[in-house]
Amino acid sequence: NDTDRAVMDEIIDTEQAVFLPEDVRAIMKDVVEQALGGKTYVHDNVQQWVDTITSTITKKLGNFHKPFKYIVTTIIMQKNGAGAHTATSCFFDVGSDGTCVFPFENKHLWSVTTVFGLQL
């Protein structure tokens, strides 16, 4: 029936057009833990780690083939007793756009990776 098919297509389109933080977080967790797990902080390696994390997450999100633009940021800091604070603020459509944050730490470093998904 054409009506049933149209309803099903609309449901699929709606699902395609929604930012799903649980899917994004799973990718972030996998990529960040693979890049930083067991690492000690080495200043000379930080830029490469940041580049690897952000580009790999962006590529994997693109593989979803969803109608989104993604912004990925990563902060990596040595654990040495210094304090750090970070915040983000967004003005977007909460029905379709979204954000996801993945903090990571080990004995030597901590990081915060953020993904913003903005529907096209």
Side-chain angles (χ1 to χ4, degrees):
N1 172 333
D2 288 339
T3 303
D4 290 341
R5 182 177 207 74
V7 169
M8 185 58 83
D9 288 345
E10 185 175 326
I11 290 170
I12 290 169
D13 288 344
T14 301
E15 289 175 358
Q16 279 287 95
V18 174
F19 183 86
L20 300 173
E22 58 275 5
D23 293 345
V24 175
R25 185 168 171 69
I27 289 173
M28 295 167 75
K29 181 179 187 308
D30 179 56
V31 171
V32 171
E33 288 179 351
Q34 185 173 9
L36 300 179
K39 297 281 193 324
T40 58
Y41 185 89
V42 177
H43 177 76
D44 292 339
N45 295 343
V46 172
Q47 188 61 55
Q48 179 185 355
W49 295 340
V50 168
D51 291 346
T52 297
I53 290 167
T54 56
S55 64
T56 303
I57 290 171
T58 303
K59 182 178 179 182
K60 289 186 176 208
L61 291 171
N63 290 339
F64 282 151
H65 302 291
K66 288 190 170 202
F68 281 88
K69 288 185 180 181
Y70 296 103
I71 301 165
V72 181
T73 65
T74 299
I75 299 168
I76 298 174
M77 186 171 174
Q78 182 177 15
K79 271 188 163 178
N80 62 4
H85 301 273
T86 183
T88 60
S89 178
C90 302
F91 181 75
F92 52 58
D93 182 348
V94 295
S96 59
D97 302 336
T99 185
C100 188
V101 177
F102 182 74
F104 172 87
E105 68 178 287
N106 65 22
K107 276 181 17 180
H108 307 285
L109 57 86
W110 70 262
S111 75
V112 177
T113 300
T114 305
V115 171
F116 302 92
L118 307 169
Q119 184 183 45
L120 298 174

